[in-house]
Amino acid sequence: MTIDSTPPDIRPLETADSIQSILEADEDRTLEIERNRFAGRQAKASSAIEAASQHYRNAIDAIAEGDWSSRFDYCFSLFEDGAECQYISGNTLLSEKLYDHLLFRARNRLERLRVCRALITQHVNKGMYADAITLGLRCLREFHIRIPRLPSAGAVSKARTAVKKIAADHLPQLAALPQARNTDAQEAIELVLSLLFPALAADRNVFTVLFAKFVQLSLKYGHTPGFPAAYAFYGLHLCYDLERYEAGLRLVKAAYEISESAPIPTIHSTITYVLGKATFHWGGDAETGEALFSRAIEQGMSAGNYAFAGLAMIEHVHAAYTRGTLEHVYVLVQRYLPLVIKTDLSLRLLAFCDYLQLILIYTGSIADNAYDMVRLNGSYADAGAEDKAVDKFHLFRICTFRTQQYYLQENYSEAVRAAEAAIPFISSARIVPLYQEHLFYYALAICAAWDTYPGGEKFAVKHKLKHIQEQMKKWATVNPGYYKHKHELISAEIERLSGRESTAIGLYQRSIVSAREGGYIQDAAVANELFAHFFLSKGIEKAARLYMNDAYEGFKEWGAVIKARSILDRYPELLPKEEQKSDAEGRDRRSATRGSTNESDLSSVLKAAQSFLEEADPELLLRKLMRILFDNTGAERGCILLEKEGQLYMELVIAANADDSLSRVSIPLEQYPHLSGSIVRHAASSLAPVKVDDARLDERFREDPYIRDHRPISILCLPISRPEHPNVLLYLENNSVSRAFEQYRDEVLRLLACQAHYVATMLRPMERTFPLNRSSDGQTRPLLLDPLTSREMEVLHLMAGGLSNREISEQIDVVVGTVKNHIKNIFSKLGVSSRMKAVSRAKEQRLLAD
């Protein structure tokens, strides 16, 4: 017997109408998904990534649970494309949430592996090489490929023997192999390929074993499209680890030629970076190397290959540092900072902060840097744990900068100490820029401090010195332009110490000529100063005057004002009187204008970059950035406006008061009465800055209601986006003095305002939270790709206890930047954007007690 459960008051016709409306709504939703997906693909193909991201987000938001049952492959692919677009546009938090959802949905090994490869890419972009390696090796086990995290010496030796015959001559034959057809083999080969660079940067033994496995799989199953990158990485390995420079460079060039014939944007940009690095350091062509770095940056940013675009940025800045001026270094850092911040490349941002701080020291903007060498020699001497992997590059760089700084200050014992503090990090930092500079200044510092060594220590110290000399000699035969003058100068100092003065004189002179010919301004200045010291020690003042004057001019040309001034103060009798008069006048001018010159701008840029490293809470970060912007300009209040669909909206308002009160709004300009609408509209339409020295007297805007009623004084409105996409404006006021913005600089304000606007967009809540995992108690919770590490759990508990970043750094004895990286990882894994939300989510996950 069948029981009719339909309520008697629902007529059949009404039921049919209801079903029809549901079907029509479902059809509309499906069409909406299709339209947005198509629009997203079109926008991505035309490089309109932000528009593509929004279209994909709209499509994903329209996906219903039933779609996963009826069209799983379609939904999975849509989420993959959406996650990639969010990642390319810089929204890494949303990207990782989408990937987490895909891991939850994945039905098999291949689907999980596709997601894990994308996550490995993100780890690499953030400089989290150890995390990338660990995740990748774990994923390889799904293919029954077991590579230990710490391979034995025997396994490494066996792998090296298996691939030692790889050279450029064999690459064309390897390229002729057929494409891999087996799906499992394709995925395994691509996974190994994704691990090669992080292994090359962080663990050479793992790299050797992985590359041997890559070759083995390729020979057995055929190639995948990215195979030229693997051989390019092996070429770097030949250069940096095995010292087979010609073979390594040949291999990289061959890989580049193959990638050019059928370019895949991400692969080609990667190999362009590798070729630039090999060419600059080992190919004897610095200018071509720099051009390749620029090309790699452009290609990488366009293709979303942020990891290698970021590495190319650092190499380009390093090239300017070694053979250009400090002003050029600053220009490049300022150009790349917005890209690095938007793409969440913390490791590159840390490097830029180090270069900016070095410039501030040499230009006299700050007296010293913030790093404590005692702490470096102590707490970080054994930095080998995985959670300190990012620190190794940073610590090596600052130790090297410290070595140079102390050497130029003629504090030679401290220079030696700083160089020796870098030694524990050399194995990790050998492939990064500055290794050669470290050895160069280490050798010069030893020679300068020679008389301070006890007799019993001199034999061991001399052995170190000779080792560096031999290394420089070997490099000089490979790339004379980069290394010849360095080798000659070290050799001149060694000859001087040995009493072979006539030989030393010839080497000093040759070093100066070689450095000048190569365009190495700072090295030529150092060589001139050493030669001048040599003549002074012999009482030959005429020759000393000639070379000391060249040293003085060289340091000024490089931009090291403090060093040039030190020479003038220490050796006034060797330099022309007019130089002393000119320097004194320059000091007076700098003293009178300090705070409104480039030094203030440089300091502001550094503070802003460091804020991104030190502050994990976006709201607090936004306040800091706006405070820096106000300090730079003298503004008392300001706001950021956004043009959307032809209409201007208020997005952010902040006042420079005791608590930096902040309002995040989104209302039309016409509805906001607390600024000059006519000034904003004029700037938006003309795409040019509008500066009003005294709005009470300016005839252009006297009819503006706000100006008429409130009588503001100084106003500045600045379009801060690129000219071809001018949709963001910065509005500033100072109602205490006239001409408050007389000394403003467009580029610095645009940089600071762009950073503030970017952080403001981070604060916009996600429109949808994805159900990722269902716990035993029936509650839906986000799925974590990996559990929090023990160090992250420690940071989480301290964060829950209310400790600041600096207090946490002191508690666990790491630098503040490392704490910030841990907190970002915690935020990413928990899917939150603030400390409060992190603690709340951790309690939901039962990671913290209620």
Side-chain angles (χ1 to χ4, degrees), residues 179-383:
Q179 290 286 321
R181 301 299 179 189
N182 182 286
T183 303
D184 280 1
Q186 286 179 342
E187 291 294 329
I189 293 170
E190 286 295 311
L191 181 57
V192 173
L193 175 60
S194 70
L195 297 178
L196 285 176
F197 184 79
L200 179 64
D203 194 322
R204 308 308 196 280
N205 289 338
V206 172
F207 172 83
T208 301
V209 177
L210 278 169
F211 185 74
K213 179 58 67 175
F214 180 88
V215 173
Q216 178 188 0
L217 291 171
S218 297
L219 291 174
K220 183 175 182 179
Y221 296 104
H223 273 312
T224 57
F227 85 94
Y231 294 101
F233 294 147
Y234 190 70
L236 282 188
H237 176 62
L238 289 174
C239 290
Y240 282 91
D241 296 316
L242 305 183
E243 297 187 326
R244 294 174 56 193
Y245 305 107
E246 292 182 8
L249 187 59
R250 207 163 53 241
L251 190 58
V252 173
K253 287 180 177 179
Y256 180 81
E257 290 171 2
I258 290 173
S259 74
E260 264 197 320
S261 61
I264 299 172
T266 53
I267 299 299
H268 190 56
S269 60
T270 296
I271 300 176
T272 301
Y273 155 74
V274 173
L275 180 59
K277 184 176 181 67
T279 301
F280 185 84
H281 290 286
W282 311 113
D285 191 347
E287 291 183 3
T288 298
E290 291 183 56
L292 286 165
F293 292 143
S294 295
R295 197 181 310 163
I297 294 165
E298 182 181 348
Q299 293 171 348
M301 294 303 296
S302 175
N305 188 7
Y306 294 155
F308 290 94
L311 289 167
M313 291 176 199
I314 296 300
E315 292 280 0
H316 199 190
V317 169
H318 170 73
Y321 162 74
T322 54
R323 63 187 303 270
T325 65
L326 294 175
E327 174 69 20
H328 186 39
V329 175
Y330 173 56
V331 168
L332 289 178
V333 170
Q334 193 179 23
R335 180 191 306 171
Y336 297 144
L337 264 177
L339 304 176
V340 168
I341 287 171
K342 185 175 180 181
T343 52
D344 196 25
L345 296 173
S346 301
L347 188 63
R348 321 309 171 223
L349 183 58
L350 198 59
F352 287 163
C353 285
D354 292 337
Y355 278 103
L356 285 171
Q357 197 158 39
L358 187 76
I359 297 169
L360 282 167
I361 294 166
Y362 288 153
T363 56
S365 302
I366 57 176
D368 203 348
N369 67 27
Y371 304 116
D372 181 354
M373 289 309 302
V374 174
R375 183 170 183 176
L376 286 175
N377 278 317
S379 301
Y380 291 103
D382 59 347

Side-chain angles (χ1 to χ4, degrees), residues 665-810:
V665 296
S666 185
I667 59 176
L669 173 63
E670 288 72 17
Q671 298 177 20
Y672 188 79
H674 304 299
L675 55 68
S676 169
S678 56
I679 288 178
V680 171
R681 282 187 286 271
H682 184 77
S685 61
S686 66
L687 308 184
V690 177
K691 180 171 70 74
V692 179
D693 293 330
D694 193 330
R696 299 167 300 183
L697 307 176
D698 197 302
E699 295 292 324
R700 294 175 296 171
F701 306 108
R702 65 178 180 178
E703 298 303 320
D704 183 281
Y706 172 75
I707 292 176
R708 186 181 60 240
D709 297 342
H710 295 84
R711 297 184 63 78
I713 303 178
S714 299
I715 299 176
L716 174 65
C717 190
L718 180 69
I720 63 173
S721 293
R722 296 169 302 186
E724 65 270 20
H725 190 54
N727 62 345
V728 182
L729 297 103
L730 171 69
Y731 179 93
L732 298 173
E733 272 189 20
N734 183 312
N735 293 319
S736 300
V737 296
S738 61
R739 300 182 179 274
F741 305 116
E742 190 170 18
Q743 299 292 332
Y744 85 95
R745 293 171 65 84
D746 284 15
E747 289 307 312
V748 173
L749 288 193
R750 283 194 174 97
L751 176 62
L752 296 172
C754 279
Q755 293 173 5
H757 175 253
Y758 167 66
V759 177
T761 63
M762 290 168 54
L763 287 166
R764 294 173 186 161
M766 288 182 60
E767 294 174 8
R768 182 178 179 189
T769 301
F770 301 103
L772 302 178
N773 192 23
R774 191 167 296 279
S775 65
S776 57
D777 60 7
Q779 293 182 337
T780 300
R781 297 183 180 126
L783 175 71
L784 300 183
L785 173 64
D786 288 313
L788 299 182
T789 65
S790 58
R791 178 50 64 87
E792 288 165 355
M793 284 297 299
E794 186 179 2
V795 171
L796 178 63
H797 278 88
L798 294 172
M799 194 166 59
L803 274 66
S804 68
N805 290 353
R806 189 160 297 283
E807 288 170 335
I808 294 173
S809 75
E810 293 171 355

Side-chain angles (χ1 to χ4, degrees), residues 521-588:
I521 301 169
Q522 60 164 303
D523 293 350
V526 170
N528 273 299
E529 186 181 16
L530 283 174
F531 207 8
H533 285 163
F534 173 83
F535 283 119
L536 277 178
S537 70
K538 301 301 172 186
I540 310 174
E541 188 172 305
K542 185 175 181 180
R545 180 178 294 110
L546 172 66
Y547 290 103
M548 193 64 78
N549 188 69
D550 284 352
Y552 171 78
E553 294 295 339
F555 283 119
K556 279 209 308 183
E557 181 184 357
W558 184 41
V561 177
I562 293 300
K563 176 60 179 177
R565 189 182 302 160
S566 172
I567 291 176
L568 197 59
D569 290 342
R570 289 171 65 94
Y571 308 104
E573 72 283 358
L574 298 181
L575 297 172
K577 297 295 183 185
E578 54 268 24
E579 284 294 342
Q580 299 172 44
K581 181 181 178 182
S582 174
D583 182 73
E585 292 173 352
R587 294 190 203 197
D588 291 340

